[in-house]
């Protein structure tokens, strides 16, 4: 399995609105993507996180190249700061485990 944990903090109220405008379609696309095992999001300390688990890295990369994800990614540098952690795993991590690794 391939795990991805993201965390983004928006720059302003306007950036936050744009973030959600782009994120909701991308999140829905991820939830329906081939190879997805888990797709969840949550906010913590003003940071918006996603936790996705894929059958394989290839499945994750197929989604990353999808039109809705590409559209969202192209805008994020102007509206948010953050990071991404991706790794191979034999188990689906809990949010606590995933965020400990992300931190």
């Amino acid at each position: 399995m391939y795990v991805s944990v993201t965390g983004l903090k928006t720059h302003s109220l306007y950036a936050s609105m744009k973030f959600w405008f782009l994120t909701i379609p991308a999140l829905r696309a991820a939830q329906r993507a081939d190879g997805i095992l888990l797709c969840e999001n949550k906010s913590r300390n003003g940071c918006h996180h996603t936790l996705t688990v894929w059958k394989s890295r290839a499945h994750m990369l197929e989604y990353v190249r999808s039109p809705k994800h590409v559209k969202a990614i192209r805008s994020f540098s102007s509206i948010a700061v953050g990071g991404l952690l991706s790794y191979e795993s034999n188990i689906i991590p809990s949010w606590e485990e995933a965020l400990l690794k992300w931190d």
Side-chain angles (χ1 to χ4, degrees):
M1 289 181 281
Y2 200 75
V3 178
S4 289
V5 186
T6 63
L8 297 170
K9 189 175 275 194
T10 56
H11 299 305
S12 65
L13 179 59
Y14 172 75
S16 186
M17 290 186 298
K18 188 172 180 180
F19 169 84
W20 286 112
F21 176 77
L22 294 165
T23 298
I24 290 170
L27 187 62
R28 287 187 181 142
Q31 291 168 335
R32 293 187 304 267
D34 186 38
I36 191 73
L37 299 172
L38 176 78
C39 180
E40 296 180 351
N41 67 305
K42 70 166 32 181
S43 294
R44 177 185 69 137
N45 301 326
C47 193
H48 306 290
H49 292 279
T50 60
L51 171 58
T52 57
V53 181
W54 304 86
K55 289 181 181 176
S56 69
R57 184 173 186 270
H59 284 101
M60 185 272 304
L61 289 173
E62 184 177 329
Y63 165 72
V64 164
R65 295 180 187 117
S66 71
K68 289 189 180 178
H69 186 263
V70 169
K71 181 178 180 182
I73 279 297
R74 285 186 178 153
S75 296
F76 280 153
S77 65
S78 67
I79 62 175
V81 295
L84 163 71
L85 170 68
S86 295
Y87 59 94
E88 296 279 346
S89 179
N90 293 323
I91 62 163
I92 294 176
S94 68
W95 268 104
E96 184 178 296
E97 293 166 327
L99 291 175
L100 274 172
K101 284 183 181 269
W102 188 83
D103 286 335

